[in-house]
Amino acid sequence: MLRVRALLCAFSALSLSLGADLKARSCAEVRQAYGAKGFSLLNIPHQEISGEHLRICPQGYTCCTSDMEDKLSQQSKLEFENLVDEASHALRTTFMSKHKKFDEFFLELLENTEKSLNDMFVRTYGKLYMQNADVFQDLFAELKRYYTGGNINLEEMLNDFWARLLERMFKLLNSQYQFSDDYLECVSKYTDQLKPFGDVPRKLKAQVTRAFIAARTFVQGLMVGREVANRVSKVSVIPPCVRALTRMLYCPYCRGLPNTKPCGNYCLNVMKGCLANQADLDPEWNLFIDAMLLVAERLEGPFNIEAVMEPIDVKISEAIMNMQDNSVQVSSKVFQGCGQPKPSSTGRSTRGISDVFNARFRPYSPEERPTTAAGTSLERLVVDIKEKLKQSKKFWSTLPDGICKEDKVMASTANEEQCWNGHAKGRYFPEVSKDGLANQMNNPEVEVDITRPDTFIRQQIMALRVMTNKLKNAYNGNDIYFQDSSDVVQLVPIIAEIHCGKKAGQRGRYEFAFK
């Protein structure tokens, strides 16, 4: 009797065990999860099958066919690309929106300044100004052309402006004489020697040059940062990475564990292997961000283009008054150096002209001055962008952490025994690899050829290096002009594209990326 009971108990236990085993081999959960991804359930196993056909996932009993493994592999690649795109979205949006905002601000500032000068000079000097307005229009046209990418030497351009203004004023103040073009050219040569406009040209040249170099270079930096972020975010997924991603994201399906997420360190190793080249961008990216922050500080302080441009009408008027006050001495020295001019046949007097120039210039009151460019101030714009730039440092080396922290990717760290380790549900033991291509030699999850850096990423590194050099020079008030822009185009495709423009007619706005 006891023996019979023992046999019955053993049979009952075996039946329970077999029932549990049969339940564990069901692929119902996998079918449901697989169908939720949008895949057809036709020919999908209801029970586990032998897995010798699998090329990526473990080859024990499985819920995956070869076709399923192929589709899940493609899905892994797609999801990885989307994860990188989502993780970098805020960075790319920051550079895109801030570039647009700064660009609008600087262009509106130029337009407002020109309008302010024109309105006040018409009011103050009337017909005399309107007859010579082209000198000032050309000044602002050249400033805008420089800002939007023209290959212009600011110092030479400003020297030309003062030389032209001297010629025009000299004629007006000595209208009883007639002057040939050669004589006026001789007059312009005395600009530096006689200083007819006082110290205004020297001071204004230093202020305008430094401010415009800083403004233009900073906007270029925002554009290059935007383009680099856009390009690097579009990852090129190599086959070893696809296999590793499939093992991490979808081999749990094949093992009947569709709801089991990868262990944290396992996810990090896969991401560090797949994003090894992106991590190598980080050192140059950080130097680029540091240089951007330095120029931002200049924009807040001594190179503040808003502080330079808003009172430029007052400064130019001051220079005109200096010329008026010194007109007798200036004319005398010019006559000595260039010769006595011929009297004008009309015999005009300078009294009326002098009376007009004696009308002292009255600048705008705060209430009259045009609305601030782009509806904000440069200081507020810079404070905001500086904070965003600081947050973007070390972005590319921390990208794996950012992706793995997503709830939809990594399992909770609360229970390290209940996550997918690449083979089964359980603890993940290997150490996490360090950042960058050179450190992936012993990555346990992704086969990375450390002898073959990604050429495309290296091109972006070069683009950042070129831009960082420009920013450092701008910080010191210096500009860079390449002798042959085609050399840079060949080295840095990102800059080449900016140079060529994305639409017809955009070239002028974009070619400054390597000027």
Side-chain angles (χ1 to χ4, degrees):
M1 190 68 177
L2 289 173
R3 184 177 295 176
V4 172
R5 284 183 179 177
L7 288 171
L8 286 172
C9 287
F11 179 75
S12 177
L14 181 61
S15 298
L16 288 171
S17 177
L18 287 170
D21 191 49
L22 288 172
K23 184 178 180 182
R25 291 184 180 183
S26 170
C27 294
E29 289 185 17
V30 174
R31 286 172 58 84
Q32 183 180 0
Y34 188 73
K37 294 287 180 183
F39 297 119
S40 170
L41 296 179
L42 188 66
N43 299 323
I44 304 305
H46 289 271
Q47 302 290 330
E48 288 185 337
I49 59 176
S50 179
E52 291 88 350
H53 56 280
L54 298 179
R55 293 177 294 111
I56 298 174
C57 296
Q59 292 187 331
Y61 281 99
T62 183
C63 288
C64 287
T65 62
S66 294
D67 183 61
M68 284 179 67
E69 189 182 43
D70 289 341
K71 287 181 178 178
L72 290 173
S73 179
Q74 295 169 14
Q75 183 70 14
S76 298
K77 178 178 179 294
L78 178 63
E79 288 187 11
F80 173 66
E81 291 170 343
N82 290 337
L83 284 168
V84 174
D85 185 73
E86 290 172 12
S88 62
H89 176 75
L91 177 73
R92 290 180 285 116
T93 301
T94 292
F95 275 91
M96 181 176 67
S97 63
K98 297 307 176 187
H99 171 262
K100 184 174 183 291
K101 193 70 175 177
F102 270 89
D103 194 41
E104 288 175 352
F105 177 88
F106 290 137
L107 289 172
E108 286 183 28
L109 178 64
L110 276 171
E111 291 174 5
N112 288 348
T113 304
E114 183 175 11
K115 183 179 185 301
S116 170
L117 183 144
N118 183 71
D119 291 349
M120 286 307 300
F121 275 36
V122 166
R123 186 185 307 175
T124 305
Y125 302 122
K127 188 177 180 181
L128 284 179
Y129 165 71
M130 289 186 283
Q131 290 173 342
N132 296 278
D134 59 303
V135 176
F136 302 92
Q137 291 167 356
D138 290 346
L139 169 65
F140 283 96
E142 288 295 277
L143 288 173
K144 183 175 181 180
R145 193 160 75 89
Y146 171 83
Y147 170 73
T148 56
N151 191 1
I152 296 170
N153 185 302
L154 276 177
E155 292 193 5
E156 290 180 3
M157 183 271 290
L158 290 169
N159 289 340
D160 288 345
F161 164 73
W162 292 112
R164 289 182 67 195
L165 187 59
L166 173 60
E167 290 177 15
R168 298 293 180 93
M169 287 196 64
F170 189 82
K171 284 176 66 177
L172 288 170
L173 292 168
N174 295 279
S175 58
Q176 68 272 35
Y177 299 106
Q178 59 181 3
F179 302 99
S180 66
D181 291 340
D182 289 340
Y183 194 95
L184 290 175
E185 186 177 343
C186 178
V187 171
S188 66
K189 292 177 181 177
Y190 281 82
T191 307
D192 290 336
Q193 181 182 337
L194 299 178
K195 292 184 170 51
F197 300 109
D199 208 27
V200 174
R202 183 187 65 81
K203 290 180 178 178
L204 198 59
K205 180 166 64 175
Q207 293 169 346
V208 169
T209 300
R210 294 184 309 182
F212 268 80
I213 289 171
R216 182 173 89 158
T217 307
F218 191 75
V219 172
Q220 291 173 9
L222 289 173
M223 182 168 59
V224 169
R226 179 195 71 192
E227 294 302 320
V228 168
N230 282 339
R231 285 166 165 77
V232 178
S233 297
K234 293 178 174 62
V235 289
S236 175
V237 192
I238 59 175
C241 174
V242 175
R243 290 193 292 272
L245 289 166
T246 306
R247 278 194 300 271
M248 182 182 82
L249 296 173
Y250 286 112
C251 283
Y253 279 52
C254 297
R255 298 293 285 174
L257 302 167
N259 298 316
T260 303
K261 295 179 181 178
C263 301
N265 287 350
Y266 176 35
C267 177
L268 285 174
N269 271 334
V270 172
M271 292 301 163
K272 283 177 182 283
C274 289
L275 296 170
N277 283 285
Q278 279 75 5
D280 280 349
L281 187 77
D282 221 40
E284 201 63 50
W285 177 265
N286 293 337
L287 291 173
F288 162 70
I289 296 298
D290 286 339
M292 287 287 289
L293 289 169
L294 285 174
V295 176
E297 290 178 5
R298 289 295 205 208
L299 288 174
E300 287 180 300
F303 297 0
N304 187 319
I305 191 172
E306 190 174 27
V308 170
M309 292 305 293
E310 283 192 346
I312 199 170
D313 44 13
V314 178
K315 293 176 181 178
I316 292 176
S317 183
E318 180 186 338
I320 290 173
M321 293 307 157
N322 288 335
M323 174 66 183
Q324 160 68 12
D325 293 342
N326 299 318
S327 61
V328 175
Q329 298 92 318
V330 170
S331 297
S332 176
K333 290 183 179 179
V334 169
F335 293 160
Q336 290 176 17
C338 299
Q340 188 68 26
K342 296 178 181 179
S344 172
S345 58
T346 59
R348 286 182 59 188
S349 169
T350 63
R351 180 174 299 176
I353 295 170
S354 298
D355 290 343
V356 170
F357 276 116
N358 281 329
R360 289 292 170 178
F361 180 80
R362 180 182 68 84
Y364 274 123
S365 68
E367 293 76 20
E368 293 175 305
R369 193 168 285 281
T371 305
T372 306
T376 185
S377 71
L378 180 60
E379 185 179 355
R380 287 198 294 272
L381 279 175
V382 173
V383 168
D384 182 47
I385 188 61
K386 280 172 64 178
E387 188 59 34
K388 295 290 194 301
L389 288 171
K390 290 174 184 176
Q391 293 171 6
S392 74
K393 287 193 71 173
K394 299 184 179 179
F395 176 82
W396 303 105
S397 60
T398 59
L399 186 56
D401 300 82
I403 293 174
C404 288
K405 284 179 182 175
E406 293 287 332
D407 291 339
K408 60 185 177 183
V409 178
M410 191 178 76
S412 170
T413 56
N415 192 341
E416 296 182 359
E417 302 289 345
Q418 297 300 311
C419 56
W420 175 253
N421 62 19
H423 304 282
K425 183 189 288 188
R427 184 181 294 271
Y428 182 77
F429 291 101
E431 293 183 359
V432 177
S433 298
K434 294 181 180 180
D435 301 319
L437 186 65
N439 290 312
Q440 304 310 308
M441 180 182 293
N442 297 316
N443 188 310
E445 308 305 334
V446 188
E447 297 175 13
V448 181
D449 185 351
I450 65 171
T451 66
R452 298 183 64 185
D454 188 312
T455 304
F456 182 74
I457 297 293
R458 288 332 185 242
Q459 290 169 350
Q460 311 314 306
I461 290 173
M462 178 61 73
L464 290 173
R465 193 168 293 160
V466 170
M467 194 65 241
T468 299
N469 190 37
K470 282 181 65 74
L471 287 162
K472 288 179 178 178
N473 276 276
Y475 175 77
N476 293 317
N478 302 320
D479 210 350
I480 294 179
Y481 295 88
F482 293 104
Q483 293 299 316
D484 185 357
S485 60
S486 65
D487 293 341
V488 184
V489 171
Q490 292 168 6
L491 284 171
V492 192
I494 171 181
I495 294 178
E497 183 171 325
I498 294 171
H499 171 66
C500 296
K502 296 182 179 178
K503 296 179 183 178
Q506 282 188 326
R507 178 167 183 154
R509 291 299 307 282
Y510 289 93
E511 66 181 31
F512 61 64
F514 51 79
K515 289 265 173 44

